[in-house]
Amino acid sequence: RKEVEQDPGPFNVPEGATVAFNCTYSNSASQSFFWYRQDCRKEPKLLMSVYSSGNEDGRFTAQLNRASQYISLLIRDSKLSDSATYLCVVTGITPNAGGTSYGKLTFGQGTILTVHP
Amino acid sequence: DTGVSQDPRHKITKRGQNVTFRCDPISEHNRLYWYRQTLGQGPEFLTYFQNEAQLEKSRLLSDRFSAERPKGSFSTLEIQRTEQGDSAMYLCASSWTSSGEQFFGPGTRLTVL
């Protein structure tokens, strides 16, 4: 079983639609959670962090359910520019001389979103 | 441009040859990570450094792979005796120790013929 699993899609939605992506992770010790966005043939970029209390950034809402080990991303009022691959990411905490810090990122396979006119 | 840079951006090589990639992190970042990404998959962790110390290596990193960060600044990733299965995008990222966000470079796309 993969550590982070996502529905690869693709999701094809019209402009203005609301779309939701889901992700599950297997390591209950995972500490931090993120959504990254990756445009075609580009590097991944952080979209937003995910917290248990839920967090919102404009049209984007992320949610974490630690009990179910489930992460979600909701995009409202989709724009053409939202077309990309959305990567669910988890990370643990590793010790270092200065205390603790975030370690390696574990990525899901990515979900492809295409928004059409 | 003060972001993460990688060189070369593309590399085509024949099976059995050795290749070396370079990553220059954001200057004040002391953590540097290497990932590998194949088509249709998310990036997979290979190894990371804190300053010049290599703190963790993935099982994916066979003995043909070696990474260095000799002065705690730039890093190199060398693949010896390349195989066709090594064809992938090799991504470098850097971060502050105390920050969760990793900033990625544009990647080096390796094609092994």
Side-chain angles (χ1 to χ4, degrees), chain B:
Chain B
D1 186 350
T2 56
V4 178
S5 62
Q6 293 186 244
D7 183 71
R9 296 290 305 276
H10 300 90
K11 178 70 177 178
I12 300 174
T13 191
K14 293 182 179 178
R15 189 176 52 184
Q17 297 295 304
N18 299 342
V19 294
T20 300
F21 309 143
R22 176 178 170 127
C23 171
D24 286 87
I26 294 172
S27 59
E28 62 269 26
H29 287 180
N30 59 7
R31 280 217 171 179
L32 187 149
Y33 301 81
W34 285 99
Y35 295 86
R36 180 172 68 185
Q37 185 173 25
T38 54
L39 194 63
Q41 301 297 319
E44 294 176 297
F45 169 78
L46 293 178
T47 188
Y48 84 85
F49 295 84
Q50 180 167 307
N51 300 314
E52 64 275 9
Q54 189 173 18
L55 296 186
E56 187 174 351
K57 292 194 292 186
S58 165
R59 291 187 303 274
L60 293 175
L61 215 65
S62 77
D63 57 7
R64 296 185 297 107
F65 288 70
S66 61
E68 295 183 341
R69 195 182 182 196
K71 298 181 180 179
S73 56
F74 74 91
S75 175
T76 58
L77 177 68
E78 181 182 16
I79 308 174
Q80 295 183 325
R81 306 181 302 281
T82 52
E83 300 173 356
Q84 288 186 322
D86 297 331
S87 295
M89 175 74 84
Y90 290 83
L91 292 161
C92 174
S94 70
S95 71
W96 272 115
T97 300
S98 59
S99 168
E101 182 170 2
Q102 295 181 21
F103 295 85
F104 283 81
T108 294
R109 184 172 295 279
L110 173 66
T111 301
V112 181
L113 302 177

Side-chain angles (χ1 to χ4, degrees), chain A residues 35 47 68-69 75 80 86 104 111 113:
Chain A
W35 285 99
L47 178 66
S68 302
Q69 296 180 200
I75 305 175
L80 295 176
Y86 290 84
K104 64 184 182 186
T111 299
L113 172 66

Side-chain angles (χ1 to χ4, degrees), chain A residues 6-107:
Chain A
Q6 294 181 248
D7 179 350
F11 286 67
N12 295 296
V13 302
E15 278 186 286
T18 295
V19 61
F21 304 140
N22 304 316
C23 165
T24 58
Y25 61 96
S26 61
N27 186 351
S28 60
S30 298
Q31 296 287 335
S32 301
F33 308 88
F34 308 94
W35 285 99
Y36 273 69
R37 170 192 169 129
Q38 186 171 27
D39 294 310
C40 187
R41 305 184 76 84
K42 299 284 190 179
E43 71 272 21
K45 292 185 179 179
L46 179 66
L47 178 66
M48 60 197 302
S49 300
V50 188
Y51 307 111
S52 296
S53 54
N55 50 302
E56 189 173 309
D57 183 2
R59 299 180 293 107
F60 298 83
T61 301
Q63 191 74 48
L64 166 66
N65 184 321
R66 283 187 181 271
S68 302
Q69 296 180 200
Y70 172 92
I71 305 164
S72 65
L73 177 68
L74 184 75
I75 305 175
R76 292 180 300 276
D77 189 22
S78 299
K79 311 292 184 189
L80 295 176
S81 57
D82 294 334
S83 297
T85 296
Y86 290 84
L87 297 158
C88 178
V89 185
V90 305
T91 185
I93 289 187
T94 56
N96 71 56
T100 57
S101 65
Y102 299 98
K104 64 184 182 186
L105 301 179
T106 302
F107 288 82

